[in-house]
């Protein structure tokens, strides 16, 4: 099923498990007023640094970083 370009309709699409958000890697999501962004690249748990993790979380608005 193709997602609607209407963000309200796309966000309201439910499955038996609940509402899906960011279903595809190119679907944009944003939290707490952050500009919506596509899914960050996957990080390898074996080699991820705290800075890489912080950058990925900040890109979608889940955390704020300071300079």
């Amino acid at each position: 099923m193709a997602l609607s370009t209407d963000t309200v309709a796309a966000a309201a699409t439910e499955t038996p498990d609940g509402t899906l958000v960011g279903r595809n890697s190119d679907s944009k999501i944003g939290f707490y007023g952050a500009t919506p962004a596509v899914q960050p690249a996957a990080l390898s748990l074996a080699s991820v640094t705290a800075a890489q993790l912080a950058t990925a979380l900040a890109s979608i608005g889940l955390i704020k970083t300071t300079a």
Side-chain angles (χ1 to χ4, degrees):
M1 173 175 95
L3 289 177
S4 169
T5 57
D6 178 358
T7 56
V8 174
T13 302
E14 291 191 22
T15 67
D17 295 321
T19 300
L20 294 175
V21 178
R23 181 184 307 197
N24 303 311
S25 63
D26 61 348
S27 296
K28 293 183 178 183
I29 61 171
F31 296 92
Y32 305 108
T35 301
V38 297
Q39 183 180 41
L43 300 171
S44 169
L45 291 179
S47 62
V48 69
T49 66
Q52 290 170 317
L53 182 57
T55 299
L57 293 174
S59 74
I60 59 173
L62 284 177
I63 65 169
K64 285 199 177 263
T65 57
T66 57

